[in-house]
Amino acid sequence: MTDFHIIESANEYGIARDVRVEGDNVITKQTYDAAPLLKFAADARIANEGKRWGDGHFVGVIPMAELARINDTYKSAEERKHQILAWLRDNPKLVTFEKFLK
Amino acid sequence: MTVPTNLYQKASLKGNREDLLDKIYNTSPSEVPLSSAFGRTTAITDFHEWQTDALGAASASNKMIDGDDVTLDAQVATVRIGNHLHIFNGTVGVSRRANIVKKAGRGAEMAYLKGKKMLELKRNIEAMIVSPTQVAIAATTSVAGQSGGLGVQLVSNPLHNGAGATPAWTSGAPTAAITAGTNRTFTKTLLDTACQNIYTTSGQFAEMLVVSPAHKTLFSAFASVAQNRIDVKGGKNSQATIVGGAEVYLSDFGGLTVVPHYLMAGSDTAYVLNTDYIDLAFLDGFKTTELAKTGDSDKVLITADCCLAVRAPTAQAKITNLTP
């Protein structure tokens, strides 16, 4: 039985939170609209097609919800960088430079 | 020792509401992208101090004659710096009648309200962090203590324009106000200079660029960045929508995550950070205290007594006096 349920409106990063408290368990569902990010990354992949690695290459876009979770979980900058890049490899539709995946 | 028969112990309790509060509170790191990335440490008094030190300049001509006697090198003392703790606070009150009428899920709702208030305090802390001008203020019997933000603590590699300046810390704390300068456009040259300054002064590579949404748009238009990107057009898929994502850049010098910060809208400053060297120091964490009854209601005070501690200002930079 649900003791308490509230749906928060999206925050400044477009992340909405659904909090459901059942007894002593909290079930939190975070949602965000990834469609603009997916479209943005897809267009960038096409624009970057055939280009070579250069200094400061834009390789991907990571939703703030995922970045914040990684930053909150891993407390070393090096580990965070590793996790961010791993996340992008696991989510190739948000990669903006195909060569990054190879 | 024997536990008395039928003693109602903590382990017997069903449903610890403070744990529930923690669970609710801990599920929103995205509200505070910087606080989430910084380390946590414990402060033991209302003025939190730490020390910085640096090696002397490297010298290729350092040598001695075989068998020569020595004169002792002059030693440079460590620099002791600190910040004043700041009591962020909020209250939640529920009337007796509301407590009686709404029985279902009441404990959960109260935990949620407290969690929400704690989240608001977290955002207040985040606002202190990104403030380009907030100075530290020592607490007195009539003045609330205040933590200085990033703006006054990034003293090693500030990039100002015109008469703008970030004063050195006074009496070990960042209490002196920033000197106003003349605004100019955010450019890639400024960002490159900031990253180089960090490397020169600390040997570190920049990890995170934190900017206002407007400066994020400018960053995306930087020449060497733009050639690797598509043009961001207006409308539904405009940059304002892309604020929900952080861009990841890779170069020979490592990765840089570009974080648009909603609390920096209208800011004249961009921060280039290495979060390994920045902590939030808490005196006693987030604390909830039931207040004494003064009327027909229950009241709770929530506090977070903390300050920002930039452990190594040389590993950070700020680009300020930017046109918002």
Side-chain angles (χ1 to χ4, degrees):
Chain A
M1 182 188 136
T2 300
D3 290 328
F4 180 75
H5 180 210
I6 193 156
I7 301 165
E8 294 177 351
S9 56
N11 68 12
E12 290 83 351
Y13 290 122
I15 304 162
R17 199 169 70 140
D18 182 325
V19 182
R20 195 179 290 269
V21 182
E22 295 179 355
D24 291 314
N25 296 316
V26 180
I27 302 148
T28 307
K29 187 167 73 176
Q30 292 195 70
T31 52
Y32 53 87
D33 181 10
L37 299 177
L38 289 166
K39 169 81 168 60
F40 177 71
D43 289 348
R45 274 197 305 278
I46 293 166
N48 287 335
E49 221 166 343
K51 288 187 175 160
R52 295 186 301 176
W53 276 104
D55 187 41
H57 222 299
F58 172 38
V59 297
V61 57
I62 182 166
M64 285 303 294
E66 303 296 344
L67 179 68
R69 181 187 55 76
I70 290 170
N71 284 344
D72 198 42
T73 308
Y74 302 95
K75 286 302 169 194
S76 138
E78 194 57 36
E79 179 63 16
R80 279 202 290 259
K81 180 187 156 193
H82 176 77
Q83 292 294 333
I84 288 168
L85 298 182
W87 190 93
L88 281 176
R89 288 195 176 93
D90 290 343
N91 295 272
K93 287 189 174 174
L94 286 172
V95 168
T96 53
F97 186 51
E98 290 280 5
K99 284 193 170 68
F100 170 73
L101 294 170
K102 291 170 184 164
Chain B
M1 295 290 285
T2 308
V3 176
T5 307
N6 293 331
L7 180 73
Y8 197 57
Q9 292 178 279
K10 174 76 166 57
S12 313
L13 291 173
K14 300 291 182 197
N16 184 328
R17 289 296 162 190
E18 289 308 305
D19 285 351
L20 187 59
L21 171 62
D22 290 341
K23 286 178 193 170
I24 294 171
Y25 162 72
N26 284 330
T27 54
S28 281
S30 64
E31 300 278 351
V32 286
L34 288 186
S35 305
S36 304
F38 294 167
R40 293 289 166 91
T41 189
T42 303
I44 53 171
T45 181
D46 63 351
F47 183 53
H48 181 64
E49 290 181 284
W50 60 99
Q51 296 183 63
T52 63
D53 199 5
L55 299 177
S59 169
S61 61
N62 174 255
K63 61 190 176 186
M64 69 182 290
I65 299 165
D66 180 29
D68 201 2
D69 202 355
V70 295
T71 52
L72 296 176
D73 294 336
Q75 301 299 318
V76 179
T78 56
V79 180
R80 192 168 167 173
I81 52 181
N83 199 1
H84 294 289
L85 267 69
H86 185 137
I87 307 174
F88 294 90
N89 68 96
T91 53
V92 177
V94 179
S95 74
R96 173 190 56 83
R97 182 175 279 184
N99 260 336
I100 293 168
V101 170
K102 194 173 180 185
K103 284 196 166 70
R106 194 177 64 212
E109 182 169 4
M110 195 59 182
Y112 174 78
L113 287 175
K114 289 182 195 172
K116 185 178 162 194
K117 184 57 71 181
M118 288 166 87
L119 199 53
E120 287 172 6
L121 297 194
K122 266 172 106 172
R123 286 164 62 108
N124 292 344
I125 292 169
E126 187 86 355
M128 173 274 289
I129 289 170
V130 299
S131 170
T133 54
Q134 181 161 311
V135 297
I137 296 173
T140 68
T141 52
S142 57
V143 175
Q146 179 172 291
S147 168
L150 280 173
V152 292
Q153 291 199 53
L154 303 191
V155 293
S156 295
N157 299 310
L159 289 175
H160 285 276
N161 192 44
T166 303
W169 294 20
T170 310
S171 305
T175 54
I178 302 281
T179 307
T182 311
N183 288 351
R184 82 286 212 201
T185 306
F186 183 31
T187 63
K188 184 166 187 301
T189 306
L190 285 169
L191 179 60
D192 288 346
T193 305
C195 292
Q196 283 169 22
N197 288 347
I198 289 174
Y199 183 72
T200 306
T201 55
S202 71
Q204 301 291 321
F205 297 119
E207 173 202 351
M208 190 186 284
L209 170 66
V210 188
V211 289
S212 71
H215 290 150
K216 165 77 161 32
T217 307
L218 275 179
F219 172 86
S220 299
F222 288 166
S224 68
V225 173
Q227 68 186 3
N228 298 323
R229 295 170 51 97
I230 55 159
D231 288 334
V232 180
K233 298 181 174 61
K236 192 183 172 192
N237 298 322
S238 68
Q239 195 66 38
T241 307
I242 306 300
V243 85
E247 294 177 5
V248 182
Y249 290 81
L250 277 185
S251 73
D252 295 342
F253 298 102
L256 182 71
T257 309
V258 184
V259 177
H261 204 301
Y262 66 96
L263 287 174
M264 288 176 70
S267 175
D268 68 348
T269 303
Y271 299 113
V272 190
L273 305 176
N274 276 299
T275 57
D276 277 354
Y277 304 98
I278 307 178
D279 289 331
L280 277 170
F282 283 86
L283 190 63
D284 56 355
F286 278 80
K287 196 172 178 66
T288 58
T289 308
E290 304 281 344
L291 297 177
K293 267 187 173 295
T294 54
D296 195 14
S297 62
D298 293 322
K299 291 177 287 187
V300 174
L301 171 68
I302 302 164
T303 54
D305 202 345
C306 65
C307 74
L308 176 69
V310 178
R311 304 296 183 195
T314 53
Q316 330 289 339
K318 68 171 181 178
I319 308 163
T320 191
N321 303 132
L322 298 174
T323 308

